[in-house]
Amino acid sequence: MENPLIEAPVPPVPQEVEPGGVGWLRAKVARFSRPEDHARRRALVLAELASMGSLRDKAFTLTRELQDGEVDRISWTVPVAVLSAELGLPDVSRDIATVSGSYHPQTEITDDAEEAMRRLIERCGGDVDERTAARIGLLVQACDATARLLGKALAAHRSGEDAESLLDRVLREDPPVRLTRRWVGGEVVEVDLSDRPFGAGPKRCPGEAQALRVAAGILDALLC
Ligand code: HEM
């Protein structure tokens, strides 16, 4: 049965923040938005995702080009490199990985993450607006979750198993995102996501299809 807590709002994040920093990103992305801002910001993400095509082939090709590289590095760079190319950006995977480490409100904001944000905003054209936050935010969301999904899939692979069956099995048996937080009665409540690997309700992951295509392309290249 669906846990009704998943429909509750997320814990609030500070809104009085310096424009363009990590605090600003947290304040402007759909992920940490209050219900009154959420639908509008989520629509910006959906619009960016809707125009992305052939992600599996592009991930396959880029992985083949980097084939001699460390597998862990491929998992952290290829998904974001492929998605950033689709957004018309250069490969911003390094800065996105840095911001990822400071993205969640319970983590500390490092100076490196603030610098990475400044570069990312410039690369996105310099506008400190909700669309820029949506574009950077979707890359940050993709980075950590897809890298961890790939790490688990590569460790769990059985000989002869294809990319789809492997991803399907890992998402059932060992999902990379097991926990999220909601705000109930003025308190933070943890919600178990183990049986809903992409979440549920209004804040469900909008990037599931794209994540699976990118991950399958990378696994096709690494496993065959
Ligand atoms: C292309 C890769 C991905 C993109 C672009 C992406 C994007 C996003 C975005 C923008 C959100 C916030 C949605 C909102 O608040 O309305 C989100 C939420 C979420 N994503 Fe993804 N994601 C990706 C990969 C993944 C992967 C691989 C997983 C795990 C298997 C995952 C699990 C989740 C979960 C569980 C949530 C919901 C969190 C919650 O309800 O609190 N995502 N994703």
Side-chain angles (χ1 to χ4, degrees):
M1 219 201 29
E2 203 51 79
N3 183 343
L5 280 179
I6 198 80
E7 308 272 345
V10 293
V13 292
Q15 298 294 309
E16 308 277 300
V17 287
E18 195 197 322
V22 178
W24 170 85
L25 184 68
R26 292 175 180 171
K28 299 294 176 192
V29 286
R31 178 69 182 78
F32 307 119
S33 288
R34 309 296 290 164
E36 56 273 26
D37 295 314
H38 179 254
R40 182 184 75 251
R41 292 173 176 171
R42 186 175 168 98
L44 293 173
V45 175
L46 293 175
E48 300 291 341
L49 290 171
S51 58
M52 296 183 175
S54 321
L55 293 175
R56 186 169 181 161
D57 290 346
K58 288 171 187 164
F60 177 88
T61 306
L62 184 56
T63 307
R64 276 288 152 91
E65 279 168 30
L66 301 173
Q67 194 92 40
D68 294 338
E70 215 186 302
V71 168
D72 191 47
R73 206 170 141 60
I74 289 174
S75 302
W76 279 91
T77 55
V78 173
V80 177
V82 168
L83 296 172
S84 48
E86 291 298 290
L87 297 179
L89 302 174
D91 177 359
V92 289
S93 55
R94 184 185 286 262
D95 283 337
I96 291 290
T98 304
V99 172
S100 287
S102 288
Y103 178 62
H104 284 275
Q106 65 278 7
T107 58
E108 193 200 328
I109 299 180
T110 63
D111 292 345
D112 284 353
E114 294 288 35
E115 273 170 37
M117 269 304 294
R118 273 191 282 280
R119 284 191 294 270
L120 286 165
I121 288 181
E122 248 181 68
R123 294 260 168 93
C124 287
D127 292 331
V128 184
D129 60 9
E130 280 190 354
R131 178 167 178 257
T132 300
R135 285 154 66 82
I136 296 173
L138 85 81
L139 296 175
V140 172
Q141 289 281 155
C143 179
D144 190 67
T146 314
R148 284 196 285 135
L149 175 60
L150 283 163
K152 287 171 183 288
L154 288 163
H157 181 240
R158 296 173 183 157
S159 86
E161 194 176 26
D162 65 28
E164 279 97 346
S165 328
L166 172 58
L167 286 168
D168 191 57
R169 185 165 66 78
V170 169
L171 287 166
R172 262 185 292 112
E173 293 175 358
D174 190 15
V177 182
R178 288 176 171 270
L179 190 94
T180 190
R181 291 174 175 81
R182 292 295 186 262
W183 185 248
V184 183
E187 305 232 341
V188 178
V189 177
E190 294 192 334
V191 183
D192 180 16
L193 291 176
S194 338
D195 56 353
R196 292 157 292 177
F198 289 96
K203 307 199 63 119
R204 185 180 208 290
C205 180
E208 175 175 351
Q210 289 79 6
L212 292 176
R213 285 182 206 132
V214 169
I218 295 171
L219 293 173
D220 289 341
L222 292 178
L223 298 177
C224 61

